[in-house]
């Protein structure tokens, strides 16, 4: 492999001149630049990116940490797609690193990206606690922004959607439509989003003086098969329900299939509501009502805030993003609808 010294000899310039051309720092005449680029092409020299990043103090890369259990599903594919697109428009590169299965591994993923000299890091944490995230941010000079968690000490470093409030408002809409016996399929309860959406369900019932029935709650794991299995569990328990809320659309799609298999009509007998408004939602039969989460807006805000920090801009207060209920054919009036 060619070295920087060989490039310098081939171009007839000093090593320092080659370094200035590669780093973009310092004046080099166009004639000498052309000689260096020609020598690089002829020798097949490949610059050491880590060394260059150390020299320039900027790598034009942003790291993204997501645990691999969250890679599936439209929500996270949308997040990664928009992250890559927005950063590409800015001439930056996105580096995705797996947060794996524990808080320690999420912490190691962040450090790995910092060791690669990423200019900043974005993390969608699953295992790290709020206090741990606050501590990590305080320990590092490079900005580390957190998506979908509300930090206590670093308001400017978190971008989140109020999952509990959004869930409560969606369930309240079902109650307003005359539904009283509402079943709920949770997401994974080791996930903050799963816990918060369940808490919103309970909050809406309490607000409307409805007694929560544990037999109407089944834990799911985000995939369609878990939605279908949850319906089987609910029916086996023999509890009647006029509405079913699934903590994401994949499970809602599974629930639709299971209900159809039992000849239970949607929405005439059971209304079905999901979360995340995946691209498939309008095309199910019946079309799936869903709570649209502002994934794109959150990513745009995260990257805009991160770039502002890197450019020495002012710190911005956190912004809360709200979900939007999209009513479609799978939701209709319940037995107690006043109209």
């Amino acid at each position: 492999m060619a070295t920087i010294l060989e490039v310098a000899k081939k171009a007839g310039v000093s090593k320092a001149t080659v370094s200035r051309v590669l780093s973009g720092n310092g004046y080099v005449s166009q004639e000498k630049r052309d000689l260096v680029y020609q020598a690089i092409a002829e020798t097949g020299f490949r610059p050491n990116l880590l060394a260059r990043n150390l020299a320039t103090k900027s790598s034009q890369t942003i790291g993204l940490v997501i645990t691999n259990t969250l890679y599936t599903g439209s929500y996270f594919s949308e997040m990664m797609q928009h992250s890559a697109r927005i950063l590409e428009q800015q001439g930056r590169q996105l580096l995705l690193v797996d947060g794996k299965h524990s808080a320690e591994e999420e912490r190691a993923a962040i450090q790995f990206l910092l060791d690669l000299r990423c200019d900043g890091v974005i993390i969608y944490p699953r295992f790290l606690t709020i206090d741990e995230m606050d501590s990590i941010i305080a320990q590092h000079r490079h900005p580390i922004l957190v998506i979908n968690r509300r930090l206590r000490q670093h308001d400017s470093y978190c971008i989140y959607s109020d999952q509990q409030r959004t869930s409560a408002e969606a369930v309240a809409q079902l109650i307003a439509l005359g539904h009283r016996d509402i079943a709920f399929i949770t997401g994974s309860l080791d996930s903050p989003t799963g816990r918060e959406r369940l808490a919103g369900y309970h909050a809406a019932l309490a607000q409307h003086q409805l007694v929560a029935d544990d037999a109407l709650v089944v834990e799911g794991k985000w995939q369609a098969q878990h939605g279908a299995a949850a319906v089987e569990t609910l029916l086996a328990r023999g509890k009647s329900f006029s509405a079913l809320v699934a903590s994401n659309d994949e499970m809602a799609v599974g629930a639709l299939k299971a209900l159809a298999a039992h000849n239970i009509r949607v929405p005439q007998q059971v209304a079905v509501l999901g979360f995340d408004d995946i691209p498939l939602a309008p095309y199910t039969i019946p079309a799936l009502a869903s709570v649209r989460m502002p994934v794109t807006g959150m990513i745009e805000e995260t990257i805009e805030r991160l770039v502002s920090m890197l450019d020495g801009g002012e710190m911005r207060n956190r912004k809360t993003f709200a979900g939007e209920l999209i009513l479609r054919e799978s939701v209709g009036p319940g037995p107690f609808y006043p109209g």
Side-chain angles (χ1 to χ4, degrees):
M1 182 179 293
T3 66
I4 194 171
L5 179 58
E6 291 176 84
V7 171
K9 288 181 177 178
K10 186 80 172 178
V13 299
S14 67
K15 285 178 59 178
T17 298
V18 177
S19 295
R20 286 197 296 272
V21 170
L22 293 174
S23 68
N25 293 327
Y27 173 77
V28 179
S29 69
Q30 189 59 51
E31 180 185 358
K32 288 186 177 180
R33 285 180 182 277
D34 291 342
L35 289 171
V36 169
Y37 288 134
Q38 183 178 346
I40 288 173
E42 292 176 357
T43 60
F45 173 73
R46 298 183 63 185
N48 185 311
L49 293 180
L50 183 57
R52 188 185 69 181
N53 294 346
L54 287 168
T56 63
K57 298 182 173 60
S58 176
S59 65
Q60 298 299 305
T61 59
I62 301 296
L64 175 63
V65 177
I66 303 178
T67 180
N68 61 44
T69 57
L70 301 177
Y71 286 174
T72 60
S74 296
Y75 183 95
F76 291 97
S77 63
E78 183 179 352
M79 177 181 296
M80 289 184 276
Q81 176 191 7
H82 287 292
S83 297
R85 176 183 58 81
I86 295 169
L87 288 170
E88 181 182 8
Q89 291 172 351
Q90 298 183 0
R92 298 175 187 265
Q93 184 65 262
L94 177 70
L95 295 183
L96 175 65
V97 173
D98 183 8
K100 297 183 181 175
H101 311 291
S102 67
E104 189 56 39
E105 287 170 314
E106 284 184 331
R107 187 189 299 272
I110 294 171
Q111 189 59 55
F112 175 77
L113 289 167
L114 293 175
D115 289 344
L116 287 178
R117 312 298 293 184
C118 284
D119 296 332
V121 174
I122 301 167
I123 178 170
Y124 193 108
R126 180 167 186 180
F127 302 105
L128 285 165
T129 66
I130 289 171
D131 289 341
E132 287 172 327
M133 288 302 313
D134 272 323
S135 176
I136 290 170
I137 291 169
Q139 291 170 12
H140 293 93
R141 178 176 60 85
H142 288 80
I144 300 170
L145 270 65
V146 180
I147 298 180
N148 209 38
R149 298 291 284 278
R150 186 182 309 184
L151 302 180
R152 297 189 182 94
Q153 300 175 21
H154 296 86
D155 288 359
S156 299
Y157 290 79
C158 62
I159 298 87
Y160 67 93
S161 177
D162 192 332
Q163 300 282 354
Q164 180 171 329
R165 179 179 174 182
T166 297
S167 176
E169 290 175 349
V171 174
Q173 287 281 343
L174 293 177
I175 295 171
L177 285 170
H179 296 281
R180 298 294 180 267
D181 299 314
I182 303 173
F184 193 88
I185 306 174
T186 77
S188 300
L189 294 181
D190 63 351
S191 156
T193 298
R195 294 193 298 270
E196 289 173 15
R197 289 180 178 175
L198 175 60
Y201 163 75
H202 284 300
L205 296 181
Q207 182 182 357
H208 292 84
Q209 291 78 52
L210 297 177
V211 177
D213 186 345
D214 289 343
L216 289 178
V217 178
V218 180
E219 183 176 355
K221 299 291 183 183
W222 303 118
Q223 284 83 39
Q225 63 266 30
H226 296 117
V231 168
E232 299 295 339
T233 299
L234 288 166
L235 295 176
R237 289 174 181 174
K239 302 292 292 187
S240 63
F241 52 95
S242 68
L244 171 64
V245 179
S247 288
N248 74 344
D249 286 346
E250 280 82 0
M251 291 193 297
V253 170
L256 287 174
K257 180 176 176 60
L259 290 168
H262 286 274
N263 297 313
I264 297 173
R265 293 176 298 156
V266 177
Q268 293 87 347
Q269 291 174 272
V270 175
V272 176
L273 174 66
F275 276 82
D276 301 335
D277 194 32
I278 64 175
L280 179 65
Y283 300 101
T284 60
I285 301 177
L288 179 63
S290 184
V291 180
R292 179 178 296 162
M293 303 306 295
V295 179
T296 301
M298 291 171 66
I299 284 296
E300 289 175 348
E301 171 70 16
T302 301
I303 294 175
E304 182 180 341
R305 195 179 303 185
L306 181 57
V307 171
S308 177
M309 290 178 177
L310 293 172
D311 292 342
E314 293 184 3
M315 303 292 279
R316 298 167 56 179
N317 292 330
R318 66 185 180 207
K319 177 181 179 181
T320 304
F321 288 80
E324 177 187 3
L325 178 60
I326 308 297
L327 287 175
R328 296 192 181 96
E329 298 165 1
S330 69
V331 166
F336 299 93
Y337 184 61

